[in-house]
């Protein structure tokens, strides 16, 4: 399990860069715990964006942010919303966002690579 704590010195600036470009594809999978949380919270709206991929036996990988309309990966998070008249974004599923989002960024290097401004003073 990945730590839910951001790296020391990180403070989210709500720039949205982590969610505007989902090229970090190896991380865009939900955990079994995420799936259970969404199911127990009745979040079918989120589960509609999940593509369970059978990997053998009883095991699945849960690819997320797959458009329910097209079946294709989306390039930006469907839950990201820009605040009106501001250069800031909010997460519409903040209280139930997946583990990989809670653990972002994994490091200062990861933040810089993805355009995150969370280490700026």
């Amino acid at each position: 399990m990945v730590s839910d704590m951001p790296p020391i010195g990180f403070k989210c600036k709500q720039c949205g860069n982590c969610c505007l470009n989902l090229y970090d594809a190896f991380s865009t999978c939900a955990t079994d715990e995420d799936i259970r949380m969404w199911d127990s919270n009745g979040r079918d709206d989120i589960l509609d964006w999940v593509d369970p991929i059978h990997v053998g036996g009883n095991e699945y990988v849960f690819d997320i942010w797959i458009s329910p309309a097209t079946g294709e990966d989306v390039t930006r998070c469907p839950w990201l919303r820009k605040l009106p008249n501001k250069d800031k974004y909010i997460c519409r599923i903040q209280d139930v966002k997946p583990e990989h989002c809670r653990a972002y960024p994994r490091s200062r290097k990861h933040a810089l690579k993805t355009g995150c401004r969370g280490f700026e003073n």
Side-chain angles (χ1 to χ4, degrees):
M1 182 170 179
V2 177
S3 169
D4 286 355
M5 298 299 297
I8 294 172
F10 174 78
K11 181 173 176 17
C12 180
K13 307 284 191 204
Q14 293 181 282
C15 68
N17 287 335
C18 53
C19 305
L20 287 169
N21 300 302
L22 297 177
Y23 69 87
D24 208 2
F26 73 93
S27 294
T28 53
C29 287
T31 63
D32 291 340
E33 292 82 17
D34 293 328
I35 299 300
R36 282 192 291 275
M37 172 179 56
W38 295 330
D39 188 48
S40 70
N41 282 290
R43 295 303 304 260
D44 292 336
D45 58 330
I46 299 172
L47 291 167
D48 286 345
W49 289 81
V50 176
D51 183 18
I53 301 167
H54 186 247
V55 292
N58 291 330
E59 293 196 38
Y60 287 84
V61 172
F62 301 101
D63 197 9
I64 57 174
W65 312 160
I66 306 301
S67 169
T70 66
E72 299 293 323
D73 288 311
V74 295
T75 58
R76 63 173 275 167
C77 179
W79 309 107
L80 183 70
R81 292 296 176 264
K82 190 172 190 306
L83 293 173
N85 304 314
K86 295 185 179 182
D87 192 24
K88 290 189 173 192
Y89 293 82
I90 60 167
C91 174
R92 291 183 49 227
I93 61 168
Q94 181 70 25
D95 58 329
V96 291
K97 65 185 179 181
E99 182 180 303
H100 86 269
C101 295
R102 293 188 310 267
Y104 178 87
R106 293 184 303 271
S107 65
R108 180 181 289 267
K109 181 178 178 181
H110 182 231
L112 292 172
K113 180 181 173 187
T114 56
C116 173
R117 296 184 233 153
F119 286 98
E120 294 175 2
N121 293 326

